Coordinates of all heavy atoms in Angstrom, one line a residue:
M1 N 183.9 77.0 131.9 CA 185.2 77.2 132.6 C 185.5 78.7 132.5 O 185.4 79.4 131.5 CB 186.2 76.4 131.8 CG 187.6 76.5 132.5 SD 188.8 75.3 131.8 CE 188.2 73.8 132.6
N2 N 186.0 79.2 133.7 CA 186.3 80.6 133.8 C 187.6 80.9 133.1 O 188.5 80.1 133.1 CB 186.4 81.0 135.2 CG 185.1 81.0 135.9 OD1 184.0 81.1 135.3 ND2 185.1 80.9 137.2
M3 N 187.7 82.1 132.5 CA 188.9 82.5 131.8 C 189.6 83.5 132.7 O 189.1 84.5 133.2 CB 188.5 83.2 130.5 CG 189.7 83.8 129.7 SD 190.6 82.6 128.9 CE 191.9 83.5 128.1
F4 N 190.9 83.2 133.0 CA 191.8 84.2 133.5 C 193.2 83.8 133.1 O 193.7 82.8 133.4 CB 191.8 84.3 135.0 CG 192.8 85.4 135.5 CD1 192.5 86.7 135.4 CD2 194.0 85.0 136.0 CE1 193.4 87.7 135.8 CE2 194.9 86.0 136.4 CZ 194.6 87.3 136.3
C5 N 193.8 84.7 132.3 CA 195.1 84.4 131.8 C 196.0 85.7 132.0 O 195.6 86.8 131.7 CB 195.1 84.1 130.3 SG 196.7 83.5 129.7
F6 N 197.1 85.4 132.6 CA 198.1 86.5 132.8 C 199.5 86.0 132.4 O 200.5 86.2 133.1 CB 198.1 86.8 134.3 CG 198.7 88.2 134.7 CD1 198.1 89.4 134.2 CD2 199.8 88.3 135.4 CE1 198.6 90.6 134.6 CE2 200.4 89.5 135.8 CZ 199.8 90.7 135.3
Q7 N 199.5 85.4 131.3 CA 200.7 84.7 130.8 C 201.7 85.5 130.0 O 202.8 85.1 129.7 CB 200.4 83.4 130.1 CG 199.6 82.4 131.0 CD 199.1 81.2 130.2 OE1 199.1 81.2 129.0 NE2 198.6 80.2 131.0
C8 N 201.2 86.7 129.6 CA 202.1 87.5 128.7 C 201.9 89.0 128.9 O 200.9 89.4 129.5 CB 202.0 87.0 127.2 SG 200.6 87.8 126.4
E9 N 202.8 89.7 128.2 CA 202.7 91.2 128.3 C 201.6 91.8 127.5 O 201.3 93.0 127.7 CB 204.0 91.8 127.9 CG 204.3 91.8 126.4 CD 204.8 90.4 125.9 OE1 205.0 89.5 126.7 OE2 204.9 90.3 124.7
Q10 N 200.9 91.0 126.7 CA 199.8 91.5 125.9 C 198.5 91.4 126.6 O 197.4 91.8 126.0 CB 199.7 90.8 124.6 CG 200.9 91.0 123.7 CD 200.9 90.1 122.4 OE1 199.8 89.6 122.1 NE2 202.0 90.1 121.7
T11 N 198.5 91.0 127.8 CA 197.3 90.8 128.6 C 196.4 92.0 128.6 O 196.9 93.2 128.6 CB 197.6 90.3 130.0 OG1 196.4 90.0 130.7 CG2 198.3 91.4 130.8
A12 N 195.1 91.9 128.6 CA 194.1 93.0 128.5 C 194.3 94.0 129.6 O 194.3 93.6 130.8 CB 192.7 92.4 128.6
Q13 N 194.6 95.2 129.3 CA 194.8 96.4 130.2 C 195.8 96.1 131.3 O 195.7 96.6 132.4 CB 193.4 96.7 130.8 CG 192.4 97.1 129.7 CD 191.0 97.5 130.3 OE1 190.7 97.1 131.4 NE2 190.2 98.2 129.6
G14 N 196.7 95.2 131.1 CA 197.7 94.8 132.1 C 197.2 94.1 133.3 O 197.8 94.0 134.3
K15 N 195.9 93.6 133.2 CA 195.3 93.0 134.3 C 194.9 91.6 134.2 O 194.3 90.9 135.1 CB 194.0 93.8 134.7 CG 194.3 95.3 135.1 CD 193.0 96.0 135.4 CE 193.3 97.4 135.8 NZ 192.1 98.2 135.9
G16 N 195.1 91.0 133.0 CA 194.7 89.6 132.7 C 193.5 89.6 131.8 O 192.6 90.4 131.9
C17 N 193.6 88.6 130.9 CA 192.5 88.4 130.0 C 191.4 87.6 130.7 O 191.7 86.5 131.2 CB 192.9 87.7 128.7 SG 194.1 88.6 127.7
T18 N 190.2 88.1 130.7 CA 189.1 87.4 131.5 C 187.9 86.9 130.7 O 187.1 86.2 131.2 CB 188.6 88.4 132.6 OG1 188.1 89.6 131.9 CG2 189.7 88.7 133.6
I19 N 187.8 87.3 129.4 CA 186.7 86.9 128.6 C 187.2 86.0 127.5 O 186.8 84.8 127.4 CB 185.9 88.1 128.0 CG1 185.3 88.9 129.2 CG2 184.8 87.6 127.1 CD1 184.7 90.2 128.7
Q20 N 188.1 86.5 126.7 CA 188.8 85.8 125.7 C 190.2 86.4 125.6 O 190.4 87.5 125.8 CB 188.1 86.0 124.3 CG 188.8 85.4 123.1 CD 188.6 83.9 122.9 OE1 187.6 83.4 123.3 NE2 189.6 83.3 122.3
G21 N 191.2 85.6 125.3 CA 192.5 86.1 125.2 C 192.7 87.1 124.1 O 192.1 86.9 123.0
V22 N 193.4 88.1 124.4 CA 193.7 89.1 123.3 C 194.4 88.4 122.2 O 194.2 88.7 121.0 CB 194.7 90.2 123.9 CG1 195.3 91.1 122.8 CG2 193.9 91.0 124.9
C23 N 195.1 87.3 122.5 CA 195.8 86.5 121.5 C 194.9 85.5 120.8 O 195.3 84.8 119.9 CB 197.0 85.8 122.1 SG 196.5 84.6 123.4
G24 N 193.7 85.3 121.3 CA 192.8 84.3 120.8 C 192.7 83.1 121.6 O 191.9 82.2 121.4
K25 N 193.6 83.0 122.7 CA 193.6 81.8 123.5 C 192.2 81.7 124.3 O 191.7 82.7 124.7 CB 194.7 81.9 124.5 CG 195.0 80.7 125.3 CD 196.2 81.0 126.3 CE 197.5 81.2 125.5 NZ 198.6 81.4 126.4
N26 N 191.8 80.5 124.4 CA 190.5 80.3 125.2 C 190.9 79.8 126.6 O 192.0 79.5 127.0 CB 189.6 79.3 124.5 CG 190.1 77.9 124.3 OD1 191.0 77.5 125.1 ND2 189.7 77.2 123.3
A27 N 189.8 79.6 127.5 CA 190.0 79.3 128.9 C 190.7 77.9 129.0 O 191.5 77.7 129.9 CB 188.7 79.3 129.6
D28 N 190.2 76.9 128.2 CA 190.8 75.6 128.3 C 192.3 75.6 128.1 O 193.1 75.0 128.8 CB 190.2 74.6 127.3 CG 188.7 74.3 127.6 OD1 188.3 74.4 128.8 OD2 188.0 73.9 126.7
T29 N 192.7 76.3 127.0 CA 194.2 76.3 126.7 C 194.9 77.0 127.8 O 196.0 76.6 128.2 CB 194.4 77.0 125.4 OG1 193.7 76.3 124.3 CG2 195.9 77.1 125.0
S30 N 194.4 78.2 128.2 CA 195.1 78.9 129.3 C 195.2 78.1 130.6 O 196.3 78.1 131.2 CB 194.2 80.2 129.6 OG 194.8 80.9 130.7
N31 N 194.2 77.4 131.0 CA 194.3 76.6 132.2 C 195.2 75.5 132.1 O 196.0 75.2 133.0 CB 192.9 76.1 132.6 CG 192.0 77.3 133.1 OD1 192.5 78.3 133.6 ND2 190.7 77.1 132.9
L32 N 195.2 74.8 130.9 CA 196.2 73.7 130.7 C 197.6 74.2 130.7 O 198.5 73.6 131.3 CB 195.8 73.0 129.4 CG 194.6 72.1 129.4 CD1 194.2 71.7 128.0 CD2 194.8 70.9 130.3
Q33 N 197.8 75.4 130.1 CA 199.2 75.9 130.1 C 199.6 76.3 131.5 O 200.8 76.2 131.9 CB 199.3 77.1 129.1 CG 199.2 76.6 127.7 CD 199.4 77.7 126.7 OE1 199.1 78.9 127.0 NE2 199.8 77.4 125.5
D34 N 198.7 76.8 132.3 CA 199.0 77.1 133.7 C 199.4 75.9 134.5 O 200.4 75.9 135.3 CB 197.8 77.8 134.4 CG 197.7 79.3 134.1 OD1 198.7 79.9 133.6 OD2 196.6 79.9 134.5
E35 N 198.6 74.8 134.2 CA 199.0 73.5 134.9 C 200.3 73.0 134.4 O 201.1 72.5 135.3 CB 197.9 72.5 134.6 CG 196.6 72.6 135.4 CD 195.7 71.5 135.1 OE1 196.1 70.3 135.0 OE2 194.5 71.7 134.9
L36 N 200.6 73.1 133.1 CA 201.9 72.6 132.6 C 203.0 73.4 133.2 O 204.0 72.8 133.7 CB 201.9 72.8 131.1 CG 203.2 72.5 130.4 CD1 203.7 71.0 130.7 CD2 203.1 72.7 128.9
T37 N 202.9 74.7 133.3 CA 203.9 75.6 133.8 C 204.1 75.3 135.3 O 205.3 75.2 135.8 CB 203.6 77.1 133.6 OG1 203.4 77.3 132.2 CG2 204.7 78.0 134.1
S38 N 203.1 75.0 136.0 CA 203.2 74.7 137.4 C 204.0 73.4 137.6 O 204.9 73.3 138.5 CB 201.8 74.5 138.1 OG 201.9 74.0 139.4
K39 N 203.7 72.4 136.8 CA 204.5 71.1 136.9 C 205.9 71.3 136.4 O 206.8 70.7 137.0 CB 203.8 70.0 136.0 CG 202.4 69.7 136.5 CD 202.4 69.1 137.9 CE 201.0 68.8 138.4 NZ 201.0 68.5 139.8
L40 N 206.1 72.2 135.5 CA 207.5 72.4 135.1 C 208.3 73.1 136.2 O 209.5 72.8 136.4 CB 207.5 73.2 133.8 CG 207.0 72.5 132.5 CD1 206.9 73.5 131.4 CD2 207.9 71.4 132.1
I41 N 207.7 74.0 136.9 CA 208.3 74.6 138.1 C 208.7 73.5 139.1 O 209.8 73.5 139.7 CB 207.4 75.7 138.7 CG1 207.3 76.9 137.7 CG2 208.0 76.2 140.0 CD1 206.3 77.9 138.1
E42 N 207.8 72.6 139.4 CA 208.1 71.5 140.3 C 209.3 70.7 139.8 O 210.1 70.3 140.6 CB 206.9 70.6 140.4 CG 205.7 71.2 141.3 CD 204.6 70.2 141.4 OE1 204.8 69.0 141.4 OE2 203.4 70.7 141.5
L43 N 209.3 70.4 138.5 CA 210.4 69.7 137.9 C 211.7 70.4 138.1 O 212.7 69.9 138.4 CB 210.1 69.4 136.5 CG 211.2 68.6 135.7 CD1 211.5 67.2 136.3 CD2 210.9 68.4 134.2
A44 N 211.6 71.7 137.9 CA 212.9 72.6 138.0 C 213.4 72.6 139.4 O 214.6 72.7 139.6 CB 212.6 74.0 137.5
N45 N 212.5 72.5 140.4 CA 212.9 72.5 141.8 C 213.2 71.2 142.3 O 213.6 71.1 143.5 CB 211.7 73.1 142.6 CG 211.6 74.6 142.4 OD1 212.6 75.3 142.1 ND2 210.4 75.2 142.4
C46 N 213.1 70.1 141.6 CA 213.4 68.8 142.1 C 214.9 68.6 142.2 O 215.7 69.3 141.6 CB 212.8 67.7 141.2 SG 213.7 67.3 139.7
D47 N 215.3 67.7 143.0 CA 216.7 67.5 143.3 C 217.4 66.8 142.1 O 218.7 66.9 142.0 CB 216.9 66.6 144.5 CG 216.5 67.4 145.8 OD1 216.5 68.6 145.7 OD2 216.1 66.8 146.8
E48 N 216.7 66.1 141.3 CA 217.4 65.3 140.2 C 217.6 66.2 139.0 O 216.7 66.5 138.2 CB 216.5 64.1 139.8 CG 217.2 63.2 138.9 CD 216.5 61.9 138.6 OE1 215.7 61.5 139.5 OE2 216.6 61.4 137.5
K49 N 218.8 66.7 138.8 CA 219.2 67.5 137.7 C 219.9 66.6 136.6 O 220.9 66.0 137.0 CB 220.1 68.6 138.1 CG 219.6 69.5 139.2 CD 218.5 70.4 138.8 CE 218.2 71.3 140.0 NZ 216.8 71.5 140.2
N50 N 219.3 66.6 135.5 CA 220.0 65.8 134.4 C 219.6 66.4 133.0 O 218.7 67.2 132.9 CB 219.7 64.3 134.5 CG 218.3 64.0 134.4 OD1 217.6 64.5 133.5 ND2 217.8 63.2 135.3
E51 N 220.2 65.9 132.0 CA 220.0 66.4 130.7 C 218.6 66.2 130.2 O 218.0 67.0 129.5 CB 221.0 65.8 129.7 CG 221.1 66.5 128.4 CD 222.3 66.0 127.6 OE1 223.4 66.0 128.1 OE2 222.1 65.6 126.4
S52 N 218.0 65.0 130.6 CA 216.7 64.7 130.2 C 215.7 65.7 130.7 O 214.7 66.1 130.1 CB 216.3 63.3 130.6 OG 215.0 62.9 130.3
N53 N 215.8 66.0 132.0 CA 214.9 67.0 132.7 C 215.1 68.3 132.0 O 214.1 69.0 131.9 CB 215.2 67.1 134.2 CG 214.7 65.9 134.9 OD1 214.0 65.0 134.4 ND2 215.0 65.8 136.2
T54 N 216.3 68.7 131.7 CA 216.5 70.0 131.1 C 215.8 70.1 129.7 O 215.1 71.1 129.4 CB 218.0 70.3 130.9 OG1 218.6 70.2 132.2 CG2 218.3 71.6 130.3
E55 N 215.9 69.1 128.9 CA 215.2 69.0 127.6 C 213.7 69.1 127.8 O 213.0 69.8 127.0 CB 215.6 67.8 126.9 CG 217.1 67.9 126.3 CD 217.4 66.6 125.5 OE1 216.5 65.9 125.0 OE2 218.6 66.4 125.3
L56 N 213.2 68.4 128.8 CA 211.8 68.4 129.0 C 211.3 69.8 129.5 O 210.2 70.2 129.0 CB 211.4 67.4 130.1 CG 210.0 67.1 130.4 CD1 209.2 66.6 129.1 CD2 209.8 66.1 131.5
L57 N 212.1 70.4 130.3 CA 211.7 71.8 130.7 C 211.7 72.7 129.5 O 210.7 73.5 129.3 CB 212.7 72.3 131.7 CG 212.6 71.8 133.1 CD1 213.8 72.2 133.9 CD2 211.4 72.4 133.8
I58 N 212.7 72.7 128.6 CA 212.7 73.5 127.5 C 211.5 73.2 126.5 O 210.8 74.1 126.1 CB 214.1 73.4 126.8 CG1 215.2 73.9 127.6 CG2 214.0 74.1 125.4 CD1 216.6 73.6 127.2
D59 N 211.3 72.0 126.2 CA 210.2 71.6 125.4 C 208.9 72.0 125.9 O 208.0 72.5 125.2 CB 210.2 70.1 125.1 CG 211.4 69.6 124.2 OD1 212.0 70.5 123.6 OD2 211.6 68.4 124.2
G60 N 208.7 71.8 127.2 CA 207.5 72.1 127.9 C 207.2 73.6 127.8 O 206.1 74.1 127.5
L61 N 208.2 74.4 128.1 CA 208.0 75.9 128.1 C 207.7 76.4 126.7 O 206.9 77.2 126.5 CB 209.3 76.6 128.6 CG 209.4 76.4 130.1 CD1 210.8 77.0 130.6 CD2 208.3 77.2 130.9
F62 N 208.4 75.8 125.7 CA 208.1 76.3 124.3 C 206.8 75.8 123.8 O 206.3 76.5 122.9 CB 209.3 75.8 123.4 CG 210.4 76.8 123.3 CD1 211.5 76.6 124.1 CD2 210.3 77.9 122.5 CE1 212.6 77.5 124.1 CE2 211.4 78.8 122.4 CZ 212.5 78.6 123.3
T63 N 206.2 74.8 124.4 CA 204.8 74.5 123.9 C 203.8 75.5 124.4 O 202.7 75.6 123.8 CB 204.3 73.1 124.5 OG1 204.2 73.2 125.9 CG2 205.2 72.0 124.1
T64 N 204.2 76.4 125.3 CA 203.3 77.4 125.8 C 203.4 78.7 124.9 O 202.6 79.6 125.1 CB 203.5 77.8 127.2 OG1 204.8 78.4 127.4 CG2 203.4 76.6 128.1
V65 N 204.3 78.7 124.0 CA 204.5 79.9 123.1 C 203.8 79.6 121.8 O 204.2 78.9 121.0 CB 206.0 80.2 122.9 CG1 206.2 81.4 122.0 CG2 206.8 80.3 124.2
I66 N 202.6 80.2 121.7 CA 201.8 80.0 120.5 C 201.5 81.4 119.9 O 201.5 82.4 120.5 CB 200.5 79.2 120.8 CG1 199.7 79.9 121.9 CG2 200.9 77.8 121.1 CD1 198.4 79.3 122.0
Ligands
SF4_1 S1 195.2 85.1 126.8 FE1 196.9 85.5 125.4 S2 197.1 87.7 125.4 FE2 195.9 87.2 127.2 S3 197.5 87.1 128.9 FE3 197.1 85.0 128.0 S4 198.7 84.7 126.5 FE4 198.5 86.9 126.9

């Protein structure tokens, strides 16, 4: 699996981590977190706004902070 992560300000040379994350993250984790964030953006853009969705967004985003 190819590595490309641009999820934080510590990214290698400001261009994205492409071999191994500066933080130690591997390609599998990076790709899963990209997928999760994409789905959270879809949820944020959906028409149904409620407390449950808000909690899910917060929990989902904090799972990407490692
Ligand atoms: S692999 Fe880690 S250090 Fe590199 S951009 Fe992603 S989160 Fe930041």
